[in-house]
């Protein structure tokens, strides 16, 4: 599937990996809907990029918001060809800290956004995609999820984040198998240490230190590199049911 003249819904598209994806896809001729909780930033990006982009405020964990986001894409552009799930949160916390057990609602919130939120968008988008006419390759859509190397190398203080991302990895193959007969592919990207709003909140020295831990290239990943891989996934019909580590060969230490 080519990017040009196709429609993509990008959760978390107002910043970081999602924003870079929106910008790259639109530059290649695609149309995009940004689904993000940050209304001011999301609308600003949409206004900058023009008629090819729409914004909708979206809580990815809410069923009604997922339905509204997919409907917004179809209403604006007539169809939906792909979903790129970039929305996510990460709040480091040990299971048992100095103040006692981690409040359960903090764990559940991370799961709700990162895992349930991804599935929520997938189920609604796939239902719409399977009703569309397939292209010459038999494709009706593509779904790209965002996991993390934490799914494999979760550090101390990351039980909620690592569990949420491992869940994203775990549902990739069964969803790809389920949607195969409809011509909908499912692929997950597991980034390593990338420049995101969360990373940018750290001091420059801390960012440099983290980047130096990456074997090669010894730096933080750039959002544009995530977007580049997302484009390759869309355009390569044989990529399906797989999780791709995008991490410079890093393997995270326990802490």
């Amino acid at each position: 599937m080519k990017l040009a003249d196709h429609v993509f819904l990008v959760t978390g598209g107002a910043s970081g990996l999602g924003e870079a994806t929106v910008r790259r896809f639109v530059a290649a001729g695609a149309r995009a809907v940004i689904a993000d909780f940050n209304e001011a930033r999301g609308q600003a990006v949409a206004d900058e990029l023009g008629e090819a982009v729409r914004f909708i405020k979206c809580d990815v964990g809410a069923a009604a918001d997922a339905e509204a986001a997919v409907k917004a894409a179809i209403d604006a552009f007539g169809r939906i060809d792909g979903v790129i799930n970039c929305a996510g949160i990460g709040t480091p916390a040990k299971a048992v800290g100095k103040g006692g057990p981690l409040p359960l609602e903090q764990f559940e919130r991370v799961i709700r956004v990162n895992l349930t939120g991804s599935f929520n968008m997938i189920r609604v988008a796939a239902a719409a995609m399977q009703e569309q006419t397939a292209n010459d390759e038999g494709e009706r859509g593509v779904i790209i999820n965002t996991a993390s190397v934490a799914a494999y190398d979760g550090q101390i203080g990351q039980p909620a984040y690592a569990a949420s991302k491992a869940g994203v990895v775990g549902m990739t193959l069964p969803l790809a198998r389920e949607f195969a007969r409809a011509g909908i592919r499912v692929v997950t990207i597991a980034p390593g240490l990338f420049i995101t709003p969360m990373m940018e909140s750290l001091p420059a020295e801390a960012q440099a230190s983290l980047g130096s831990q990456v074997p090669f290239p010894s730096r933080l990943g750039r959002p544009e590199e995530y977007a580049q891989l997302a484009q390759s996934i869309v355009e390569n019909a044989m990529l399906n049911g797989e999780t791709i580590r995008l991490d410079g060969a890093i393997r995270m230490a326990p802490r």
Side-chain angles (χ1 to χ4, degrees), residues 7 34 58 104 169 186 196 203 213 217 223 229:
V7 180
I34 297 171
C58 180
L104 186 59
V169 171
V186 184
T196 62
Q213 297 175 26
L229 178 54

Side-chain angles (χ1 to χ4, degrees), residues 15-35:
S15 63
L17 306 179
E19 180 183 350
T21 300
V22 170
R23 291 182 180 279
R24 186 180 184 95
F25 280 30
V26 170
R31 288 159 289 178
V33 173
I34 297 171

